[in-house]
Amino acid sequence: MIEPLLNGPDERPPSRKKRPPRPGVSFGSVQRAPLPRMGSNRGMTSYDRARAGGGPPKPSKSGDTWWYAAVAGEAAGSFSARVHARTRHACLGAVLLLAVVYAGLVLTATGRRWGDAAVTGRRADATAAALLREHPSLAGLTPLSLVLGAVLLLAVGLIRRRYALTGLAAAGIAAALAVTGLLQRYAPRPRLLDPGGALLPSGFPSAQTTLALGIALGLILVVPYRLRTLATGAATLWAVAVGAYTLATGSHRPGDAIAAALVVLAVFCGLLAVRARKGLVRPGPRRGAALPGLPVTVPLALIALAGLGTGLWLLGGTLDLPATAPYDPAELRLAHRAGQALAAAVTAIAGLLPLALLRRVDIEGPPASYRLGGPFVEAAGAPADEDLVGPFTEDLDHEIS
């Protein structure tokens, strides 16, 4: 009775027009995902989907709430699906490249002749010969560094109490070494004899490079997110040096180091794809991880680019070697340097690619239940991106309509 008196005896209160529903509501930089259509399970969380037998819906999972879809702007499972697709494609690509390297450098006469020339050319390379002669301690330093690297990997994971991730990293290294051993023993290859007539063992792929790069990529799983790029990049530089040393001593051909890098890349991308498929990844902070890693990622990128360019340029002039001796020492030296450049480039790329695939991806747990962002939340003083926050901020002077 109060409102008609205020508006006059013959007036009615103004009617409020209902606004038509919109597919998505925007608030600052926060975009609420549109609701799914009736009768469709797409975009619905696990506890919204009805079971086939008509029973109660599935229980909710961490990160599978409407807040994640509304505030983060995407369905709860779409982030894990994108990470799974990227890592799976990288794994399949590494396997395909491994098959190409095996067919080109092991099964063909031209590839074997180039590999033999690269091994022989180390003697004609005065720089590599002088380095090995002046530093004989490198022979014992390489296996010692491999042992220390494995101990460091396990120690970091156990100290941080990431037991599952430490076991996953150790399983990845063991799987890569197992694949390397199987290829060395059972992969079909021509019978190679030494000057005395004894059968030479196969070094395809290189076990030393496999272990070194496996330790480097294993650090992705156990090192904190903000130090992941720095630690993995530094360990990859060490793996490049280990591979270069095995080529300089003549223990392996360039194709052996290249194959080892591809084996490790395929194994760890496969493990990351499985982890993403299970939903055990979440969005990482948008700042703070790339900048500390620049001192190591920039040299790795330069090694990758310069190594590929130089190696391919030198490779074109060393593939037409004669089938029998005598050989030109200059061509042998160029073959060795081309092999060193290509092996270093592929190893550097194998270390950089997982870091690029996992950019802004935290692999230490399932996605958070919700994530806030935008000028509204920043003005309210919300905590950092990696901290879990509630559906509302501390500032109560707001309204959600």
Side-chain angles (χ1 to χ4, degrees), residues 150-217:
V151 172
L152 177 63
L153 172 68
L154 296 176
V156 171
L158 295 179
I159 290 175
R160 298 190 65 233
R161 298 181 180 180
R162 300 298 190 266
Y163 304 119
L165 291 175
T166 304
L168 185 64
I173 297 174
L177 290 174
V179 172
T180 298
L182 292 175
L183 289 176
Q184 288 181 353
R185 186 174 181 85
Y186 297 108
R189 62 184 178 89
R191 297 172 61 89
L192 302 178
L193 304 177
D194 61 6
L199 181 64
L200 292 175
S202 174
F204 182 91
S206 170
Q208 292 93 330
T209 307
T210 299
L211 180 57
L213 189 59
I215 293 172
L217 297 190

Side-chain angles (χ1 to χ4, degrees), residues 279-303:
L280 299 178
V281 296
R282 61 185 179 186
R286 294 181 177 272
R287 305 181 296 273
L291 188 59
L294 287 179
V296 291
T297 54
V298 171
L300 282 175
L302 293 177
I303 290 174

